[in-house]
Structure formats: structure tokens, C-alpha cells
Amino acid sequence: MASKKDGESHVGSFLQDKTTVLQEARVFNESPISARRCRIVLTKIIYLLYVGETFSSHEATTLFFGCTKLFHHKDPSLRQMVYLVIKELSSMAQDVLMITQSILKDMQSSQEVIYRPNAIRTLCRITDPSMLTPLERFFKSFIVSPYTSISSSALLATYYLYHTSPASRDLLKRWTGEIQESILSTRQPPTSILGNYSPSGQYQPVQSTSWIAQYHALGTLWVLREKDRMAGVKMVQQFSGKQSAGGAGTVRSALGVCMIVRMARRVGEEDSNLRRPMLDLLEGYLRHKSDSVNYEAARAICEFKAVQPNELNRAVSVLQLFLSSPKAVLKLAAIRTLNKLSVTHPAVVASANSEMEKLVNDDNRGVAIFAITTLLKTGSESFVDRLMKQITSFFSEISDEFKIIVVKAIKTLCLKFPAKHSVLLGFLSGILRDEGGYEFKKTIVETIFEMIRNIKESKDNALAQLCEFIEDCEFTKLSVRILHLLGYEGPRSPQPSKFIRYIYNRVILENSIVRAAAVSSLAKFGMDVSDDTTKRSVVVLLKRCLMDTDDEVRDRAALYLKLLEKEKLAKEFKEDDSTYSLAALENSLVGYISSGAAATEVFDISSIPRMSKEAARLEVSRAANVRSEAAGLLGGMSVSMESEVEGKVEKREEERPNDYEEELKNIPEFEPFGKILRSGKVVELTEREMEYVVSVVKHVFKEHVVFQFNISNTIPDTVLENVSVIMTPSNDSLTEKFIIPIPSLSSSPDTCYVAFDRTDPSSYPSCSFTNTLKFVSKEVDPSSGEPEETGYEDEYPIEEVEVGAGDFIQPSYADFAKEWDRFRTGAEVKDTFELTEMKSLKAACTTLIDLLSMEALGGSDNPSSGAVHTLQLSGIVCGGGGKVLARCRMTFSAGSGVTMEMTVRGEKPASAALVLGAIG
């Protein structure tokens, strides 16, 4: 890193601001061209882009076409710099296609010039999908070129085009034959076109012994076949070769073999039948002659899903040998993998403890930190004191990244050896006062939280340490979290009054966010502490908060003062375990404001579904984990797998209700329909392996029902036109209004809509539909890449779609006992049902919840007995139907299945009848 810093300071000595560089770029127009001066200016442009400087479209276009004038000069190093700048500016400049012919000329040069690979890589950045077909023969020839640099450039260009130009994917898949040929080629790469120049300017090529093109070809071939699971399996089997004797196999590039290792792991995790063969293959690679392959295979085994301890022994042995390697990079890689494995299999990693102890004093601090934190997870209780002393000796010298690793290891250690909590808490409280960033401090605070929750003996001391920390805490989020914890744990401590001073100090000294949190924390002391003196003190302090400058602080103080005045109201407030669904609330508020109703109507919050606070926390956590899961997957994969992971993440995000409002608003035909009352889940109508993949989402409006069909065409070289779904209803409760077809469907998914009128908007229709996918199929002309003019009409049957009670009910949390009693004078219906097909009470509960789309309350979705159970359900009927509750008393016998007595109570008779009618 020092060399980079020195280099930047040297470059900065002659680089100036953007305006100066734009002025100096006029040198491109001089005649004759000075290669040296032009290279300096091009270097400045690259540097400005590197440090984050942005160019406007006009500036980028001017520079771009200024650079193109340098094509007249034959200096190879200048030409390379020109290509580098053109490639970086191509995304900002306009009319970049105009230089295509100049690039093609360099690509087809009769002489083996050094900048041919640069020309290939640049062409893929500026080319248009419509131009790719005429260029196909050039790219195919470059892929099988005997020159490594040319072949690699063409392969990387293919990979780039696949990800940036979805419309060209079908064309790119036709190149798999050439890509496979470049992998299977076993001839030694010939003299490379990358060489040196003599003082006289004569080009002198050098010999290349690299097999890097195999690595690039493997990555490109994998991404082209990522949608075909069987092709991926065959690819691993074809290119893995026989590794049992440590042979090189078909692939001679060590990086290429590492790519195969990652593919084998992916295949083994996706197909349980191939799990054992893939693990055997990975174990064979543990004896490869390359250290990088040995490590990659060991890491793949250690990170294999659901790997068993007996399957890890060989991989751990290889990593254990690397711990004694003189190569620092091997030691660091091995100890990092063992550190990660120790979280799930500490007993297996413990066999390497003797080697890890030798690394505790390693000169590389990273290696030492990983060794210590791994020993903390795998060692015995006697290790703790000695290791903590060693950590303290150099803790201040390491970066926050390594500090976080140490703190996380201490968190595991606290739970493993609770008796050592005083030593560990003393260390944590000491580093909590040291300088550090937010992530570092947050990790320490969360570790102390974990100690409070799981080690009762540490609670008082830990709370005291947190009180001291918030006196000087510079991070608002941490202060709020600590105040919340103090409000929960403080009133339950032996001396709750000692925490009030620290909390009130935050009201005086902090920003409005922390002050509001402090007010809430103070109020909990007043409501939860039985001592009257403490309550009176809290009331006095809250009254002072009524004069605060921030309205949130004043409102909270007024609310809690009212609660403290009325003990019964405070009790109800504390015992209420429900909250509103934030996603549904936000969606409804946005629709309320955008519709203009805010000026004339009061917002109806009773229509917003409620959920338990625990469910709300899980929902937030689940949403946050979607991206982190993808990041974790991408971190352990080859780049060729990224798009598939991102696609899975996008699909999971698409399945969330309330996310369709904006999409449908942009379609003019749906504008008169008004607000969406409810959107259902994604329902698959075909198998994912079929040639046409179809799923449906139902959207309920006040007077309409819209079916959104998501359709994918998986047949290559085929385009479907005028794609629509013909729906035939089983009754006349819904009548078709219009269909919005897909004009053209190739490899990218698209959406077709079918809208129906509700014959009687005041009732809830129950109807099933038989569905047929109708389209015109056209073949794609291989030469032009365009569909043929003539096609043939075709139909494809898909599964039925049903509209029932669950499509009109939104799950909603409620205090069942309280609400059930409240509805005793309302609408009530009751009936008994014989569910003979149900094989257990659990199956009956799951079926009822899915059918009615209601919230199971109090954990009643998991029967505690196999013979008798009561399921409690709650929901809100959309369109003003109000709240509805259902009590299902069930018994099970092996001979007759499940017998159920269902009682439904609701605000309106129609709502109660809707639920009961769904069963009959």
C-alpha cells in the first residue's frame, strides 16, 4: 500500500484539475502528433476517472473523439492508452459507434500487434446488440486463437456481453462450441503477441507459458449454461479429469481447476444425488500439485452445506499443513478458513490447536488475530486468561476490521464459558472507551447485550458499563439501542433508581432522537417500578420534557404522563403485543395522499392489518437478510454465478405484497380501477423445467380482479408474439373485461394481464378458471438474429387458478381473547366439518391458514398434541369487510382424519359467512 501512496503523490505532482486536463487535451489535434505528450494527457484522464471525477456527456464526447484522432499514429504504447481511455469513456460519451470501423481494422490487422486484445475488449463496450451478428465470425475466431491474450480478451468480451446485453444471450450461446474448443486445446500456447520493443522500434515477442485462457473459457461457458442444471453437471464431469493421483487432467490452469472446484461444490449442494460424488472429487483435488487448488478444495469442503464432521478430516489436515507453510498468504488463507469452520465444528478444528498456538505471536497481525480467535472458540477454559493477555498487548495496534473479529470470538466465548464473564466484560468495557468506528462499537455493544440476556450474573455490571458508555457515545443509533435496553432491564434490577440519572442526562445533553428515546426509557421506569418515590421522580422529569424544543420529545412525554396518571390504561399499553404492518401502512398512506382523499376524508387506520411485535421484528430481519445472503453467496462463488444469485434475490423481493402498486399505476388501463385492496402471493402454474414457465399474482380492486401472469420462454432461438392467457371462469361471478398481451417474448421474462369485473362488488366471488397460454411462435434467423416473418399459432395448457375467500382476507394480528369477547354480540356462524383427507392436526392447520390467508395467533399453528387442538385465526376482510376471527376446535383419529368445529365471529355477517363458506 505504501507504494500506491507514493505513486499517487508522484502522479499528483503533475496532474491538475479537470478543467486543466480538458484544455491540455487539445494536444490531440496537433500535427504532427506527439506520442509522449498525448500519453501524459491520457494518463491524466485515466487518473481523474480513477479518483472519482465525473465528466458531463459533452465533455466525455469531446475527449472520446479527440482520442480517436490518435488512431493515425502507429506508436503501440500510445494506441494501448487510447483504447484504455476509450473503454472508460464509452459509457459517458455519445455516438461511440462511429469508431467501430477503426477498432475492427486493428482487430483484423495482418501483423500480430500488441494492441489487438485492447481492441477486442473495447469493441464489446461500444457495440450494439444489433451489430453483434455480423461480428460473430470475428469473435469465434478470436476465441480459438492460439494467442492467449487474444483468446482471453474475446472470452472476457463474451462474458461482459452476456451480462450487459440480455437481448444477445441467445446469439452468445451459439459460441459454446468454440469456447469448449479453447478449453480442450492441450497444445502449449505459442509465442505471445505481448512482447518488448528494441531501441530501434522492432517488435520482439516473448514466449508465454500461461493457461489463463482456460480459466476465462471455463467461467464464460459456465455462465452460458447456468440455466441448464444438467449441462452444468456434465461440464464438471467433463473437465474435472482424474484427480485421484494428483494429475493435471484436461484443465492445466490452476485458476481453471479452482473454478471447477467451485462448480463442483455448487452442483453437489443443488443435487443431493450428486453430493457424495462431488465430495469425492473435491477430496481428490486435495492432492493436486498446486497449493491454490489444494486450498480451494479444502475451503469448498469446509463450506459445503450440511457437511458432516467425518467428511472434514482430510480438508482440515491440508489446512493444518498450510499453517506451517513459509508462505504468509497460505497461512492467512488456512487460518481464516479454520476460523470460520470453528463456529460450526469446533471439535474438528481443535485437532490443529498445536499449530495455531505457534501462530499467536506471528509477525503478521492478521494471522495472529485469526489464530487467537480460533483458539478462543476451540480451546478450553484454561486458555482464556492467557489469550486475553496476549490480545490486550497488541489490540490497539490492529485495524477495526480485525478488532471486530476478536470481539465476535469473545461473544462466542462468553456463552461457552459463563464463569469467565468478569474477565471478558472487563476487557470489553475497556475497549469500548477506546477510539473506533461505528461497526466496531456496535459489535461490542451487541456482545454486552448478549451477555445480559444469557448470563444473569453479569447483568448489573454490564448495565453499569453501558451507562458509562452513553455519557460519551458519539453514535446516535447505539445510544438509542442502549436506552431501550435500560428501559427494559433497568426496572427489573435490584436498584432501578441508579439508572435514572444516566438516562435523564441524555434528555439534557443529546440530540432530539436520543432525547425521545430517553423519554420512553424514563417512562418505563415509572410504569414498571412499584416504588412510589421512583414514580413521582419520573413524573417530575417527564413534565420538564414537555417544554422541549422537539415535538417528538414533547408528544412522547405527554403520552407517558397520561399513561402514568391512569394505571389501567398503562397496563393495557404494556400488554398490547401488536403493531401495524409497516409495509401495508406505508402503501396505504401513499395511496391516500396521492389520491387526493387527504383533503376530504379521514384516514381509516382500522383497515391496516396488525401483527405481533415479534412477527414485525422477524419481517424486518428477513428483509435485511435478503441482500446479505446474496452478498455471502457472491463472496464464495465464481463471478459466473452472480447473475443467478441476483435473480433469486430479485424473485424473493418480487413476492412481497404491496410492491405492485407502482407497477400497475404505470399502466393506463388500470388507472380507473382505483387502489389495490389486496395482492396475493406468486403462484406457480407450470414446472420450472418446462419450456414455458408461468406464474400468477392476483390483485383485488373494489370492483375488479386482475390476474398478473409472469411468463418466461426457455426455448432458445424462438420468439413468441402476441402472448396472452385465455381464462374460462366456472361461473358468472366474474366477467372478463380486457386482456393486455405481451407483444414479443424472447429469453427475458415479461408480464401479461387479464382483468375481470366483479358482477356484484358487495359480495365476494368464488370461482375457478381453466387457463390456456396462446401465442404465435416464430423461429429466429441465425444469420440476422431477427425472428422470421411467418410463424404459427400455438396453445399451451397451464394449471387452473382459483379465486376464493383467502384472496379477500388480509392476515392481521389481534389479542384473540379480548377481540373474541368483544365480538360476542356481533355476527357469529358455526359449523362442523369432517376433514377426512387430513393426515394430522398440523396438516389441517397449515391447510386452513393457506386457504383462508389468516394470521395464526398465539403459536396455535403448531399443535402441542396429536389428538386435540384449537387453532385461532384473525384477519381483515378487504373492501370494508372489517375484522374477522375464527376458532377451530379439532380432534384427530387415524381412522376418520380430522373433525373440526369452526366458529367465526366478525364485524359484519358477510365477512363471517365468507370464512365459513370457504370450508364448505
Side-chain angles (χ1 to χ4, degrees):
M1 294 302 292
S3 61
K4 179 182 177 181
K5 184 176 181 181
D6 294 342
E8 287 184 1
S9 62
H10 175 71
V11 172
S13 65
F14 71 89
L15 288 182
Q16 324 229 346
D17 60 21
K18 182 175 73 173
T19 304
T20 305
V21 173
L22 290 172
Q23 293 291 333
E24 292 178 356
R26 295 177 179 176
V27 70
F28 300 155
N29 300 319
E30 293 181 357
S31 183
I33 295 173
S34 171
R36 179 179 175 279
R37 292 176 62 193
C38 290
R39 283 198 302 269
I40 292 174
V41 176
L42 292 171
T43 304
K44 293 180 179 182
I45 295 171
I46 288 294
Y47 179 79
L48 287 175
L49 292 168
Y50 170 76
V51 299
E53 188 66 65
T54 58
F55 292 92
S56 67
S57 178
H58 176 72
E59 293 168 342
T61 303
T62 302
L63 286 175
F64 185 90
F65 286 102
C67 294
T68 60
K69 297 177 181 178
L70 303 180
F71 277 105
H72 298 293
H73 203 282
K74 299 299 182 183
D75 184 78
S77 56
L78 175 61
R79 187 69 62 87
Q80 285 185 296
M81 282 298 299
V82 168
Y83 276 124
L84 187 59
V85 173
I86 286 176
K87 187 172 67 172
E88 296 301 323
L89 291 176
S90 61
S91 60
M92 296 178 273
Q94 298 176 350
D95 302 323
V96 295
L97 292 174
M98 294 176 64
I99 67 162
T100 302
Q101 291 303 319
S102 299
I103 297 176
L104 287 174
K105 184 178 179 182
D106 281 351
M107 286 171 52
Q108 303 172 63
S109 175
S110 57
Q111 298 180 345
E112 296 301 339
V113 289
I114 195 172
Y115 44 78
R116 281 183 71 187
N118 301 81
I120 296 169
R121 289 193 295 268
T122 304
L123 182 63
C124 76
R125 293 293 186 98
I126 68 166
T127 192
D128 185 84
S130 61
M131 298 174 55
L132 202 54
T133 301
L135 298 174
E136 182 177 7
R137 63 184 181 89
F138 295 114
F139 277 105
K140 283 185 174 181
S141 64
F142 294 146
I143 288 172
V144 296
S145 170
Y147 295 103
T148 299
S149 57
I150 293 178
S151 179
S152 290
S153 297
L155 290 164
L156 292 174
T158 306
Y159 182 89
Y160 175 83
L161 289 169
Y162 185 86
H163 285 291
T164 58
S165 179
S168 305
R169 289 182 178 180
D170 292 338
L171 174 66
L172 297 173
K173 288 178 181 179
R174 298 206 296 262
W175 303 358
T176 54
E178 286 72 17
I179 297 172
Q180 192 163 340
E181 182 181 340
S182 69
I183 300 173
L184 296 174
S185 176
T186 57
R187 64 179 182 273
Q188 183 70 23
T191 300
S192 172
I193 62 168
L194 297 178
N196 302 315
Y197 283 84
S198 65
S200 61
Q202 184 65 32
Y203 180 68
Q204 297 177 335
V206 297
Q207 187 73 16
S208 170
T209 58
S210 171
W211 295 92
I212 193 66
Q214 283 191 330
Y215 169 67
H216 293 149
L218 279 167
T220 305
L221 187 60
W222 177 262
V223 77
L224 292 177
R225 293 178 172 179
E226 64 182 349
K227 302 296 183 184
D228 189 343
R229 187 173 61 85
M230 290 307 300
V233 174
K234 291 178 181 178
M235 183 176 169
V236 173
Q237 294 172 341
Q238 178 183 5
F239 297 122
S240 59
K242 292 186 185 269
Q243 300 299 333
S244 57
T250 304
V251 180
R252 301 190 181 187
S253 165
L255 290 175
V257 179
C258 290
M259 176 75 75
I260 292 175
V261 168
R262 294 185 178 187
M263 294 175 187
R265 176 192 164 193
R266 180 75 177 276
V267 167
E269 289 179 341
E270 289 182 347
D271 190 340
S272 59
N273 295 325
L274 293 171
R275 184 179 185 279
R276 188 66 256 171
M278 291 300 106
L279 279 173
D280 292 341
L281 176 64
L282 293 176
E283 288 183 359
Y285 280 122
L286 293 174
R287 296 184 292 275
H288 196 274
K289 61 184 178 181
S290 168
D291 287 339
S292 60
V293 175
N294 298 154
Y295 168 72
E296 192 66 37
R299 186 172 76 96
I301 295 173
C302 291
E303 296 180 359
F304 212 93
K305 284 184 181 178
V307 66
Q308 300 303 311
N310 62 312
E311 297 170 332
L312 291 167
N313 293 328
R314 293 184 182 179
V316 171
S317 298
V318 171
L319 295 174
Q320 190 174 349
L321 290 174
F322 285 162
L323 295 179
S324 306
S325 171
K327 300 177 181 178
V329 66
L330 276 180
K331 283 194 293 187
L332 180 61
I335 194 64
R336 282 188 66 180
T337 303
L338 289 172
N339 180 274
K340 187 175 181 180
L341 182 64
S342 64
V343 176
T344 53
H345 296 88
V348 178
V349 180
S351 61
N353 278 1
S354 57
E355 282 77 11
M356 288 189 286
E357 286 185 47
K358 299 174 185 177
L359 300 178
V360 169
N361 296 316
D362 195 272
D363 294 336
N364 186 317
R365 288 300 188 203
V367 173
I369 288 296
F370 280 119
I372 291 173
T373 53
T374 308
L375 287 170
L376 287 174
K377 298 171 188 173
T378 61
S380 62
E381 194 168 352
S382 59
F383 272 90
V384 176
D385 293 327
R386 179 160 57 89
L387 289 175
M388 295 309 297
K389 288 180 182 178
Q390 290 175 318
I391 293 172
T392 306
S393 64
F394 62 81
F395 194 80
S396 59
E397 302 173 10
I398 60 178
S399 65
D400 278 7
E401 181 183 0
F402 285 117
K403 288 179 180 178
I404 290 172
I405 294 172
V406 173
V407 173
K408 287 181 177 179
I410 291 174
K411 179 179 178 180
T412 305
L413 198 64
C414 292
L415 304 179
K416 188 177 181 181
F417 304 121
K420 292 292 182 180
H421 70 84
S422 57
V423 176
L424 300 174
L425 184 58
F427 174 77
L428 291 173
S429 60
I431 63 176
L432 192 57
R433 295 179 179 84
D434 294 341
E435 293 294 326
Y438 171 73
E439 289 296 329
F440 170 51
K441 295 296 179 72
K442 184 185 78 168
T443 307
I444 300 172
V445 169
E446 287 177 345
T447 302
I448 296 177
F449 283 6
E450 199 70 27
M451 294 179 70
I452 293 171
R453 281 192 291 267
N454 296 283
I455 308 174
K456 293 182 179 179
E457 297 82 2
S458 68
K459 183 178 295 185
D460 287 344
N461 191 13
L463 289 175
Q465 298 295 343
L466 292 175
C467 287
E468 293 290 342
F469 171 63
I470 61 173
E471 291 290 322
D472 300 310
C473 180
E474 57 184 311
F475 303 108
T476 297
K477 289 184 179 179
L478 292 183
S479 295
V480 170
R481 292 185 64 183
I482 293 171
L483 286 167
H484 175 75
L485 180 74
L486 289 173
Y488 180 79
E489 297 288 351
R492 295 167 173 77
S493 65
Q495 295 180 308
S497 57
K498 68 179 182 181
F499 300 110
I500 294 178
R501 174 175 64 87
Y502 294 100
I503 296 173
Y504 187 66
N505 283 346
R506 300 306 98 215
V507 177
I508 300 172
L509 302 173
E510 290 286 359
N511 58 51
S512 60
I513 298 174
V514 177
R515 294 202 306 271
V519 167
S520 297
S521 185
L522 272 177
K524 290 176 183 176
F525 280 82
M527 289 188 287
D528 296 340
V529 177
S530 57
D531 181 30
D532 291 337
T533 304
T534 302
K535 286 187 178 181
R536 286 194 296 270
S537 300
V538 170
V539 169
V540 171
L541 296 176
L542 289 177
K543 286 182 178 178
R544 294 179 185 176
C545 297
L546 293 174
M547 305 302 293
D548 195 274
T549 56
D550 185 75
D551 57 349
E552 174 73 14
V553 178
R554 295 195 304 271
D555 290 346
R556 289 197 185 193
L559 168 66
Y560 290 122
L561 282 170
K562 180 64 69 175
L563 292 174
L564 290 173
E565 289 175 7
K566 299 182 179 181
E567 189 172 334
K568 183 179 179 182
L569 185 62
K571 184 179 179 181
E572 292 180 358
F573 179 80
K574 288 189 296 181
E575 293 177 352
D576 185 10
D577 188 42
S578 65
T579 185
Y580 290 103
S581 169
L582 293 181
L585 180 60
E586 179 188 16
N587 183 266
S588 297
L589 285 171
V590 169
Y592 174 70
I593 294 172
S594 60
S595 66
T600 57
E601 300 176 12
V602 177
F603 180 72
D604 181 17
I605 199 168
S606 64
S607 63
I608 307 301
R610 297 179 71 88
M611 59 198 310
S612 67
K613 292 178 180 178
E614 181 63 27
R617 283 192 289 269
L618 290 174
E619 186 177 277
V620 172
S621 176
R622 194 181 303 115
N625 286 339
V626 170
R627 287 291 170 192
S628 63
E629 177 185 333
L633 286 169
L634 295 178
M637 292 181 184
S638 63
V639 289
S640 61
M641 303 176 187
E642 292 182 9
S643 62
E644 182 171 334
V645 174
E646 290 170 356
K648 289 181 179 178
V649 173
E650 289 170 3
K651 181 184 181 300
R652 287 177 64 179
E653 291 182 341
E654 284 176 4
E655 291 180 1
R656 296 176 298 177
N658 306 313
D659 286 353
Y660 300 99
E661 187 85 28
E662 218 41 58
E663 182 180 343
L664 267 66
K665 275 184 181 178
N666 296 328
I667 301 175
E669 288 86 347
F670 297 131
E671 191 172 346
F673 287 15
K675 176 188 171 184
I676 296 178
L677 300 180
R678 171 160 165 69
S679 292
K681 296 180 180 179
V682 176
V683 179
E684 303 289 345
L685 300 181
T686 61
E687 298 292 335
R688 288 194 169 272
E689 293 76 19
M690 304 302 288
E691 53 266 54
Y692 309 116
V693 181
V694 184
S695 62
V696 67
V697 181
K698 289 169 276 189
H699 305 290
V700 177
F701 293 82
K702 185 177 181 180
E703 298 180 358
H704 307 85
V705 176
V706 173
F707 298 87
Q708 173 183 322
F709 291 95
N710 304 314
I711 306 172
S712 298
N713 171 27
T714 63
I715 302 178
D717 303 328
T718 302
V719 172
L720 309 182
E721 293 184 353
N722 196 24
V723 183
S724 60
V725 177
I726 307 302
M727 304 182 69
T728 305
S730 60
N731 56 52
D732 59 357
S733 59
L734 292 171
T735 56
E736 186 178 305
K737 188 175 181 65
F738 59 77
I739 300 176
I740 303 179
I742 303 172
S744 179
L745 180 67
S746 54
S747 58
S748 300
D750 210 336
T751 304
C752 163
Y753 295 94
V754 183
F756 281 80
D757 287 328
R758 294 168 62 176
T759 306
D760 182 6
S762 62
S763 65
Y764 304 100
S766 178
C767 185
S768 62
F769 295 83
T770 56
N771 308 298
T772 304
L773 185 67
K774 192 173 182 180
F775 51 85
V776 176
S777 179
K778 294 185 177 181
E779 299 290 332
V780 176
D781 187 351
S783 59
S784 64
E786 296 294 326
E788 297 177 351
E789 293 184 2
T790 59
Y792 61 92
E793 292 188 359
D794 200 358
E795 294 182 352
Y796 186 82
I798 55 180
E799 289 190 12
E800 290 189 356
V801 176
E802 293 189 357
V803 174
D807 296 307
F808 301 94
I809 301 175
Q810 185 78 29
S812 178
Y813 178 81
D815 184 333
F816 188 83
K818 181 179 177 181
E819 292 295 307
W820 187 259
D821 184 62
R822 185 168 71 89
F823 287 157
R824 69 181 183 277
T825 58
E828 179 177 324
V829 290
K830 182 190 296 186
D831 204 348
T832 302
F833 302 92
E834 296 290 338
L835 309 178
T836 56
E837 299 297 323
M838 296 295 120
K839 303 302 181 183
S840 66
L841 292 176
K842 174 63 177 175
C845 291
T846 303
T847 302
L848 287 171
I849 293 169
D850 291 342
L851 176 65
L852 299 173
S853 187
M854 297 176 72
E855 180 89 7
L857 303 176
S860 61
D861 54 329
N862 293 309
S864 57
S865 167
V868 180
H869 180 63
T870 300
L871 175 64
Q872 300 172 345
L873 300 172
S874 172
I876 294 177
V877 179
C878 64
K883 183 170 288 187
V884 62
L885 301 174
R887 184 182 65 192
C888 309
R889 292 174 172 171
M890 297 180 282
T891 61
F892 174 76
S893 62
S896 58
V898 175
T899 301
M900 177 183 70
E901 178 196 76
M902 173 181 273
T903 306
V904 184
R905 292 181 181 178
E907 294 182 12
K908 297 183 179 181
S911 301
L914 171 67
V915 175
L916 194 69
I919 309 300

